[in-house]
């Protein structure tokens, strides 16, 4: 595992830090440190403009190969990029589903035409994406997807009908990647396709779902004979492609998330110092544990990312989601305990949740999305430890 950076890396650090200092100012000053967990509904328009500002500076998709508009940065430089982004207070990225999930999947499985059609919009920060996987009866059990894809001879295209749910940022998105059943006779992970669907068409209806925080980061999405502009791979390959995409979810961008976690922990420590909570032995202990947990998370991520690409670290990678999600949920609880009785009140007009209150409520979802804790434990047991598979109904 490589934990230090060489001179060229440190020069790169100066370059990105300088760019951020110059650009996260003026009209973008207000969005510094904004748009994170529990705050993701804030400054939507400003954060979309920020994506384009980053694109103009060549700072989107930094890990993509240069031929697709990326910078082809090494793992070390990507780590530095994310460290500096969080240190400078870079806002939550509205383009992360396109940049981190859709783009790499299109690069791996798309045709030359598809790459040309979809990658520039992601790279330029002008087209946003959402993920159409979960359905009312297909969450943990994703292979139970019921959404249908039928080939319409008249329109010479695949048409999608069905319902997706919990679709983050669907209300802001231009495109959705959708897993749908191409073979009506098929079951489980057979007979699925991976489709790219334009959200701006009559057959797509997006209904926001109000979350615990009172805001709506996710939605129900209804497809009624909606046209799929493209299918990635062949009909029947949807499961393979869909799972490959989930592999990208634990990529380098998760390091960026950790840097944002550090900012949250720092905010909680500063508050504990101010209001005296830091004098309480229990709080001191939990702050130390949070610090240690975050260091462990970082080392595990570095080990995963700098390890051999032969799959030998795959089982180590399995613990990653369980660890960060549980850690972050505990951080939310710590924030509430540091706030004390103030955490239970909406203090001043207009009586909105404070950042740390929102953080607490949002972190309840960390152990659900991207695979629940229970399901992650099953995966660790079965794939990591080789224990017998759980009985399936
Ligand atoms: C904030 C947020 C954002 C999301 N964004 C998206 C998105 O953009 N796109 C998308 O497609 N989805 C998204 N999701 C959905 C998410 O992927 C699902 O919520 C998740 O996969 C769990 O599925 P479910 O909600 O249907 O719960 P279920 O699968 O019904 O699970 C209910 C409970 O049963 C437990 N359980 C289920 N199966 C087992 C088992 N085999 N063994 C033990 N326990 C089990 C689960 O752990 C859970 O506690 C999002 C969810 C959240 C909370």
């Amino acid at each position: 595992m490589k934990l230090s950076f060489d001179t060229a890396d440190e020069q790169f650090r100066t370059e990105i830090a300088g760019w951020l200092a110059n650009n996260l100012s003026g009209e973008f000053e207000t969005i510094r440190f904004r748009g994170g967990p529990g705050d993701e509904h804030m400054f939507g328009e400003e954060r979309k403009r920020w994506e384009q500002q980053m694109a103009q500076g060549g700072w989107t998709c930094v890990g993509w190969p240069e031929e697709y508009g990326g910078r082809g940065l090494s793992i070390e430089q990507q780590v530095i990029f994310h460290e500096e982004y969080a240190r400078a207070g870079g806002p939550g990225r509205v383009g992360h589903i396109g940049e981190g999930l859709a783009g790499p999947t299109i690069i791996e499985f798309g045709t030359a035409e598809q790459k040309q059609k979809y990658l520039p919009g992601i790279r330029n920060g002008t087209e946003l994406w959402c993920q159409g996987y979960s359905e009312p009866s297909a969450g943990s059990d994703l292979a139970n997807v019921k959404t249908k894809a039928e080939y319409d001879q008249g329109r010479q295209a695949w048409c999608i009908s069905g319902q997706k749910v919990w679709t983050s940022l669907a209300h802001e998105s231009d495109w959705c990647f959708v897993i749908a059943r191409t073979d009506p006779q098929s079951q489980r992970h057979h007979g699925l396709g991976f489709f790219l669907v334009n959200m701006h068409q009559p057959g797509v209806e997006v209904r926001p779902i109000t979350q615990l925080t009172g805001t709506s980061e996710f939605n129900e999405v209804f497809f009624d004979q909606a046209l799929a502009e493209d299918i990635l791979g062949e009909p029947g390959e949807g499961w393979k492609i869909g799972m490959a995409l989930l592999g990208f979810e634990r990529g380098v961008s998760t390091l960026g998330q950790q840097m944002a976690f550090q900012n949250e922990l720092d905010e909680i420590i500063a508050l504990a110092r101010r209001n005296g909570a830091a004098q309480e032995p229990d709080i001191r202990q939990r702050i130390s544990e949070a610090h240690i947990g975050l260091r462990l998370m970082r080392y595990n991520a570095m080990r995963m990312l700098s390890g051999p690409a032969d799959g030998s670290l795959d089982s180590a990678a399995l613990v990653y989601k369980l660890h960060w999600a549980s850690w972050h949920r505990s951080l939310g609880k710590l924030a509430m305990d540091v706030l004390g009785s103030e955490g239970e009140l909406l203090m001043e007009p207009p009586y909105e949740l404070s950042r740390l209150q929102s953080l607490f409520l949002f972190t309840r979802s960390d152990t659900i999305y991207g695979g629940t804790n229970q399901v992650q434990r099953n995966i660790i047991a079965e794939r990591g430890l080789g224990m017998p598979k759980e009985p399936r109904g």
Side-chain angles (χ1 to χ4, degrees):
M1 172 173 38
K2 192 173 166 209
L3 291 174
S4 59
F5 303 108
D6 61 25
T7 318
D9 292 339
E10 291 304 338
Q11 274 166 2
F12 172 75
R13 185 186 294 282
T14 314
E15 184 187 347
I16 173 64
W19 188 86
L20 285 165
N22 287 336
N23 286 271
L24 258 179
S25 56
E27 64 164 319
F28 297 118
E29 181 67 43
T30 46
I31 58 171
R32 289 184 67 223
F33 295 101
R34 300 306 305 261
D39 193 44
E40 66 292 328
H41 55 293
M42 292 302 292
F43 298 105
E45 286 310 312
E46 291 84 346
R47 283 160 59 213
K48 279 190 210 166
R49 281 207 300 283
W50 170 246
E51 285 293 314
Q52 291 168 27
Q53 179 85 356
M54 293 212 9
Q56 277 164 23
W59 293 111
T60 51
C61 308
V62 291
W64 289 14
E66 285 176 53
E67 60 177 307
Y68 302 122
R71 282 189 176 234
L73 291 187
S74 66
I75 297 285
E76 290 76 22
Q77 292 192 341
Q78 290 182 62
V79 170
I80 291 172
F81 168 80
H82 290 297
E83 279 180 352
E84 292 307 315
Y85 189 82
R87 200 190 315 274
R93 299 281 309 276
V94 285
H96 69 283
I97 298 178
E99 176 169 327
L101 302 180
T105 310
I106 294 169
I107 290 173
E108 185 152 335
F109 297 100
T111 61
E113 259 178 17
Q114 289 169 341
K115 289 175 191 169
Q116 213 169 15
K117 179 169 169 187
Y118 296 107
L119 298 179
I122 300 175
R123 153 70 181 73
N124 297 335
T126 48
E127 292 181 0
L128 303 182
W129 285 74
C130 60
Q131 176 176 20
Y133 277 28
S134 304
E135 297 183 6
S137 57
S140 305
D141 189 15
L142 184 60
N144 201 29
V145 158
K146 300 258 189 301
T147 294
K148 285 188 300 195
E150 291 167 306
Y151 195 78
D152 183 328
Q153 295 296 349
R155 292 163 95 184
Q156 293 275 298
W158 289 93
C159 291
I160 311 290
S161 297
Q163 185 197 343
K164 296 289 173 182
V165 70
W166 319 126
T167 320
S168 297
L169 300 178
H171 57 298
E172 303 273 11
S173 295
D174 305 292
W175 296 94
C176 184
F177 48 88
V178 176
I179 296 189
R181 202 161 284 286
T182 50
D183 174 0
Q185 307 304 326
S186 66
Q187 287 194 343
R188 311 296 304 161
H189 51 279
H190 301 287
L192 297 169
F194 192 100
F195 295 93
L196 310 181
V197 180
N198 191 325
M199 295 294 279
H200 308 297
Q201 57 170 312
V204 177
E205 189 191 341
V206 176
R207 294 187 201 158
I209 301 173
T210 306
Q211 296 173 212
L212 266 183
T213 45
T215 58
S216 298
E217 183 257 5
F218 56 33
N219 307 267
E220 294 177 295
V221 181
F222 296 87
F223 297 102
D224 181 11
Q225 290 290 306
L227 190 88
E229 293 226 359
D230 274 296
I231 176 168
L232 273 198
E234 298 294 324
E237 289 190 326
W239 187 258
K240 178 184 85 177
I241 298 173
M243 290 303 108
L245 178 140
L246 291 183
F248 296 123
E249 234 175 352
R250 53 165 209 248
V252 185
S253 61
T254 58
L255 283 164
Q257 180 190 35
Q258 285 178 33
M259 306 305 156
F261 289 171
Q262 182 69 57
N263 287 342
E264 291 164 0
L265 177 58
D266 289 346
E267 189 175 340
I268 293 168
I269 294 172
L271 173 67
R273 286 210 170 102
R274 267 201 318 277
N275 74 3
Q279 302 304 321
E280 295 169 32
D282 172 56
I283 297 284
R284 294 173 75 85
Q285 172 99 4
R286 285 165 62 196
I287 287 176
S288 317
E289 281 165 3
H291 173 77
I292 293 166
L294 193 53
R295 299 309 294 173
L296 287 176
M297 204 187 300
R298 178 168 166 74
Y299 293 138
N300 196 44
M302 299 286 280
R303 179 171 66 144
M304 235 161 63
L305 295 167
S306 58
D310 60 2
S312 55
L313 277 174
D314 279 0
S315 40
L318 295 178
V319 299
Y320 189 66
K321 164 77 195 352
L322 181 68
H323 183 217
W324 77 249
S326 307
W327 180 91
H328 201 219
R329 191 177 59 179
S330 302
L331 188 79
K333 282 159 80 175
L334 176 61
M336 286 300 274
D337 290 336
V338 168
L339 280 166
S341 52
E342 217 178 272
E344 294 168 27
L345 300 170
L346 300 182
M347 297 295 282
E348 287 166 12
Y351 301 109
E352 285 171 355
L353 292 168
S354 71
R355 280 254 291 277
L356 292 181
Q357 287 169 324
S358 291
L359 174 77
F360 166 66
L361 292 175
F362 192 89
T363 55
R364 309 311 295 173
S365 71
D366 284 327
T367 53
I368 300 174
Y369 70 84
T372 68
N373 269 13
Q374 291 79 8
V375 167
Q376 293 303 319
R377 288 195 178 95
N378 284 349
I379 294 173
I380 292 168
E382 294 175 12
R383 286 194 226 147
L385 302 174
M387 290 166 76
K389 284 192 183 296
E390 68 164 333
R392 308 259 177 219

XYZ file of all heavy atoms in Angstrom, residues 97 130-142 164-170 211 217-218 362 364-376 378 390-392, ligand 1:
382
model
N -23.236 10.896 -10.260
C -23.761 9.613 -10.769
C -23.298 9.405 -12.222
O -22.917 8.307 -12.622
C -25.296 9.543 -10.627
C -25.662 9.622 -9.137
C -25.853 8.261 -11.245
C -27.146 9.625 -8.833
N -29.215 9.767 -13.436
C -29.690 9.086 -12.236
C -29.718 7.581 -12.493
O -29.556 7.130 -13.634
C -31.055 9.616 -11.809
S -32.360 9.433 -13.025
N -29.918 6.841 -11.392
C -29.749 5.383 -11.420
C -31.097 4.692 -11.213
O -31.656 4.751 -10.117
C -28.793 4.988 -10.278
C -28.592 3.509 -10.099
C -27.558 3.204 -9.009
O -27.278 4.059 -8.167
N -27.006 2.020 -9.010
N -31.599 4.024 -12.256
C -32.904 3.358 -12.175
C -32.764 1.868 -11.934
O -32.965 1.060 -12.851
N -32.422 1.503 -10.708
C -32.299 0.090 -10.329
C -33.504 -0.337 -9.476
O -34.281 -1.180 -9.854
C -31.019 -0.153 -9.513
C -29.741 -0.355 -10.301
C -29.548 0.208 -11.550
C -28.700 -1.106 -9.775
C -28.353 0.024 -12.241
C -27.507 -1.298 -10.461
C -27.341 -0.721 -11.697
O -26.164 -0.905 -12.381
N -33.648 0.276 -8.272
C -34.634 -0.203 -7.288
C -36.066 -0.049 -7.778
O -36.403 0.912 -8.476
C -34.491 0.571 -5.977
O -33.190 0.472 -5.499
N -36.887 -1.010 -7.367
C -38.331 -0.991 -7.648
C -39.054 -1.333 -6.351
O -38.425 -1.822 -5.405
C -38.666 -2.042 -8.714
C -37.988 -1.762 -10.030
C -38.382 -2.765 -11.125
O -39.270 -3.621 -10.887
O -37.787 -2.675 -12.209
N -40.400 -1.160 -6.326
C -41.111 -1.460 -5.076
C -40.842 -2.884 -4.575
O -40.794 -3.108 -3.376
C -42.574 -1.258 -5.455
C -42.531 -0.237 -6.554
C -41.271 -0.514 -7.323
N -40.646 -3.851 -5.479
C -40.355 -5.200 -4.961
C -38.967 -5.680 -5.392
O -38.716 -6.872 -5.486
C -41.426 -6.184 -5.426
O -41.490 -6.156 -6.828
N -38.093 -4.750 -5.674
C -36.721 -5.128 -6.042
C -35.757 -4.094 -5.462
O -35.485 -3.068 -6.085
C -36.565 -5.204 -7.554
N -35.316 -4.342 -4.224
C -34.317 -3.464 -3.585
C -33.097 -4.309 -3.312
O -32.256 -4.521 -4.194
N -33.033 -4.877 -2.110
C -31.961 -5.832 -1.815
C -32.014 -6.973 -2.822
O -30.984 -7.476 -3.271
C -32.149 -6.428 -0.418
O -32.231 -5.415 0.538
N -33.236 -7.355 -3.164
C -33.409 -8.452 -4.119
C -33.573 -7.865 -5.530
O -34.626 -7.954 -6.147
C -34.655 -9.249 -3.715
C -34.784 -10.525 -4.526
O -33.795 -10.921 -5.180
O -35.872 -11.116 -4.506
N -32.485 -7.285 -6.019
C -32.550 -6.538 -7.288
C -32.948 -7.422 -8.476
O -33.571 -6.944 -9.428
C -31.182 -5.877 -7.539
C -31.072 -4.970 -8.751
C -32.060 -3.806 -8.653
C -29.653 -4.420 -8.877
N -39.774 2.633 -11.096
C -38.569 2.634 -10.269
C -38.863 3.469 -9.014
O -39.788 4.282 -9.004
C -37.385 3.230 -11.037
C -36.981 2.400 -12.260
C -36.341 1.105 -11.859
C -36.084 0.179 -13.031
N -35.502 -1.110 -12.622
N -38.051 3.277 -7.968
C -38.302 4.026 -6.734
C -36.973 4.361 -6.055
O -35.960 3.714 -6.339
C -39.253 3.227 -5.814
C -38.581 1.992 -5.223
C -39.832 4.092 -4.699
N -37.006 5.376 -5.204
C -35.819 5.871 -4.476
C -34.776 6.400 -5.460
O -33.572 6.287 -5.185
C -35.158 4.801 -3.598
C -36.054 3.884 -2.828
C -36.027 2.528 -2.856
C -37.083 4.246 -1.900
N -36.983 2.027 -2.016
C -37.641 3.041 -1.419
C -37.602 5.453 -1.438
C -38.687 3.027 -0.498
C -38.640 5.432 -0.525
C -39.158 4.226 -0.070
N -35.199 6.947 -6.592
C -34.238 7.346 -7.621
C -33.660 8.725 -7.275
O -34.309 9.754 -7.489
C -34.916 7.364 -9.005
O -35.792 6.241 -9.096
C -33.886 7.327 -10.113
N -32.430 8.720 -6.765
C -31.800 9.970 -6.330
C -31.636 10.923 -7.513
O -31.197 10.511 -8.588
C -30.411 9.702 -5.737
O -30.516 8.901 -4.602
N -31.972 12.180 -7.273
C -31.764 13.273 -8.226
C -32.488 13.084 -9.566
O -32.157 13.782 -10.533
C -30.257 13.482 -8.495
C -29.421 13.833 -7.257
C -27.946 13.965 -7.639
C -29.896 15.136 -6.620
N -33.490 12.176 -9.620
C -34.219 12.002 -10.896
C -34.839 13.327 -11.340
O -34.916 13.618 -12.534
C -35.300 10.941 -10.740
N -38.474 13.085 2.329
C -37.642 12.296 3.238
C -37.758 12.805 4.671
O -38.396 13.827 4.931
C -36.182 12.369 2.760
C -36.027 11.742 1.398
C -34.659 11.925 0.778
O -34.544 12.017 -0.422
N -33.620 11.951 1.572
N -34.633 14.280 -1.938
C -33.446 13.985 -2.745
C -33.788 12.875 -3.726
O -33.208 12.770 -4.787
C -32.301 13.563 -1.811
C -30.984 13.287 -2.480
C -30.670 11.805 -2.627
O -31.511 10.962 -2.297
O -29.589 11.483 -3.103
N -34.753 12.016 -3.346
C -35.092 10.915 -4.253
C -36.561 10.915 -4.655
O -37.353 11.709 -4.139
C -34.611 9.569 -3.744
C -35.079 9.148 -2.375
C -36.312 9.501 -1.885
C -34.252 8.337 -1.589
C -36.734 9.067 -0.638
C -34.669 7.901 -0.339
C -35.913 8.278 0.127
N -30.123 12.305 7.833
C -29.719 11.699 6.552
C -28.886 10.438 6.766
O -28.996 9.467 6.013
C -28.941 12.699 5.683
C -28.781 12.192 4.278
C -29.736 12.457 3.321
C -27.692 11.398 3.922
C -29.619 11.946 2.035
C -27.571 10.883 2.638
C -28.538 11.164 1.689
N -29.228 8.157 8.722
C -30.034 6.944 8.932
C -30.129 6.149 7.637
O -30.382 4.948 7.644
C -31.454 7.269 9.428
C -31.550 8.186 10.622
C -30.677 7.803 11.762
N -31.025 6.515 12.371
C -30.301 5.914 13.300
N -29.164 6.452 13.693
N -30.686 4.773 13.809
N -29.985 6.837 6.491
C -30.126 6.135 5.203
C -28.813 5.519 4.710
O -28.811 4.721 3.784
C -30.661 7.097 4.127
O -29.669 8.031 3.778
N -27.692 5.878 5.354
C -26.402 5.373 4.864
C -26.324 3.849 4.903
O -25.681 3.223 4.075
C -25.251 5.937 5.700
C -24.958 7.383 5.356
O -25.131 7.750 4.182
O -24.570 8.146 6.257
N -26.969 3.275 5.925
C -26.897 1.813 6.071
C -27.977 1.117 5.254
O -28.224 -0.075 5.434
C -27.018 1.425 7.560
O -28.195 2.046 8.089
C -25.807 1.894 8.341
N -28.631 1.880 4.362
C -29.664 1.299 3.478
C -29.221 1.375 2.021
O -29.174 0.376 1.314
C -31.016 2.037 3.656
C -31.508 1.925 5.099
C -32.053 1.493 2.671
C -32.745 2.738 5.403
N -28.897 2.601 1.547
C -28.639 2.720 0.104
C -27.299 2.101 -0.276
O -26.410 1.969 0.561
C -28.747 4.176 -0.381
C -27.678 5.117 0.072
C -26.462 5.209 -0.590
C -27.896 5.962 1.148
C -25.496 6.094 -0.191
C -26.928 6.856 1.573
C -25.728 6.914 0.895
O -24.767 7.790 1.304
N -27.220 1.697 -1.545
C -25.983 1.045 -2.015
C -25.785 -0.321 -1.383
O -24.674 -0.857 -1.397
N -26.866 -0.912 -0.818
C -26.760 -2.227 -0.156
C -26.875 -2.061 1.352
O -26.041 -1.372 1.950
N -27.907 -2.660 1.946
C -28.134 -2.478 3.394
C -27.041 -3.207 4.191
O -26.380 -4.102 3.671
C -29.504 -3.054 3.830
O -29.466 -4.482 3.710
C -30.648 -2.507 2.984
N -26.910 -2.831 5.458
C -25.909 -3.495 6.320
C -26.144 -5.001 6.391
O -25.200 -5.788 6.354
C -25.979 -2.916 7.742
C -25.031 -1.750 7.908
O -24.521 -1.229 6.920
N -24.802 -1.340 9.139
N -27.425 -5.397 6.494
C -27.721 -6.833 6.623
C -27.266 -7.569 5.370
O -26.650 -8.640 5.448
C -29.233 -7.047 6.827
C -29.768 -6.573 8.159
C -29.990 -5.060 8.220
O -29.885 -4.356 7.218
N -30.265 -4.553 9.410
N -27.556 -6.964 4.227
C -27.182 -7.616 2.970
C -25.657 -7.631 2.810
O -25.079 -8.616 2.352
C -27.904 -6.916 1.788
C -27.319 -7.333 0.462
C -29.393 -7.244 1.853
N -24.999 -6.544 3.229
C -23.526 -6.528 3.162
C -22.942 -7.650 4.014
O -21.976 -8.294 3.638
C -22.959 -5.186 3.659
C -23.293 -3.993 2.785
C -22.832 -4.165 1.356
O -21.743 -4.660 1.107
N -23.650 -3.780 0.402
N -24.369 -10.486 4.717
C -24.564 -11.746 3.968
C -23.468 -11.916 2.922
O -22.919 -13.003 2.744
C -25.917 -11.747 3.240
C -27.084 -12.000 4.196
O -26.874 -12.376 5.341
N -28.287 -11.783 3.706
N -27.255 -18.335 2.266
C -28.519 -18.316 3.019
C -29.608 -18.987 2.165
O -29.547 -18.924 0.928
C -28.919 -16.879 3.357
C -29.310 -16.046 2.169
C -30.073 -14.776 2.544
O -30.731 -14.750 3.577
O -29.998 -13.826 1.757
N -30.580 -19.636 2.823
C -31.636 -20.286 2.045
C -32.437 -19.254 1.258
O -32.685 -18.166 1.770
C -32.529 -20.933 3.116
C -31.802 -20.807 4.393
C -30.792 -19.723 4.250
N -32.733 -19.519 0.020
C -33.536 -18.595 -0.797
C -34.962 -19.118 -0.895
O -35.169 -20.324 -1.049
C -32.997 -18.479 -2.224
C -31.536 -18.146 -2.284
C -31.292 -16.669 -2.593
N -29.870 -16.399 -2.565
C -29.317 -15.301 -2.078
N -30.067 -14.348 -1.595
N -28.021 -15.145 -2.093
C -31.062 7.901 0.340
C -31.284 6.770 -0.620
C -30.968 6.949 -1.950
C -31.195 5.914 -2.861
N -30.906 6.136 -4.195
C -31.177 5.163 -5.095
C -30.969 5.420 -6.499
O -30.535 6.494 -6.902
N -31.278 4.446 -7.378
C -31.757 3.227 -6.981
O -31.989 2.370 -7.841
N -31.986 2.966 -5.656
C -31.705 3.909 -4.712
N -31.943 3.666 -3.376
C -32.560 2.397 -2.981
C -31.647 1.449 -2.256
O -30.729 0.846 -3.126
C -32.565 0.410 -1.567
O -33.294 1.107 -0.575
C -31.785 -0.701 -0.927
O -31.199 -1.522 -1.915
C -32.687 -1.587 -0.023
O -33.800 -2.009 -0.716
P -35.277 -1.772 -0.133
O -35.401 -0.344 0.273
O -36.239 -2.303 -1.147
O -35.371 -2.631 1.202
P -35.608 -4.204 1.285
O -34.733 -4.897 0.324
O -37.081 -4.461 1.211
O -35.100 -4.496 2.746
C -35.893 -4.248 3.929
C -35.116 -4.770 5.134
O -34.915 -6.188 5.017
C -33.538 -6.508 5.112
N -33.222 -7.615 4.221
C -33.573 -7.747 2.898
N -33.077 -8.889 2.395
C -32.388 -9.490 3.383
C -31.643 -10.698 3.487
N -31.508 -11.498 2.432
N -31.050 -11.005 4.678
C -31.168 -10.174 5.755
N -31.885 -9.019 5.733
C -32.473 -8.682 4.561
C -32.810 -5.262 4.662
O -31.505 -5.197 5.218
C -33.719 -4.150 5.246
O -33.420 -3.937 6.599
C -31.734 4.675 -2.437
C -32.051 4.498 -1.085
C -31.836 5.524 -0.182
C -32.197 5.289 1.256
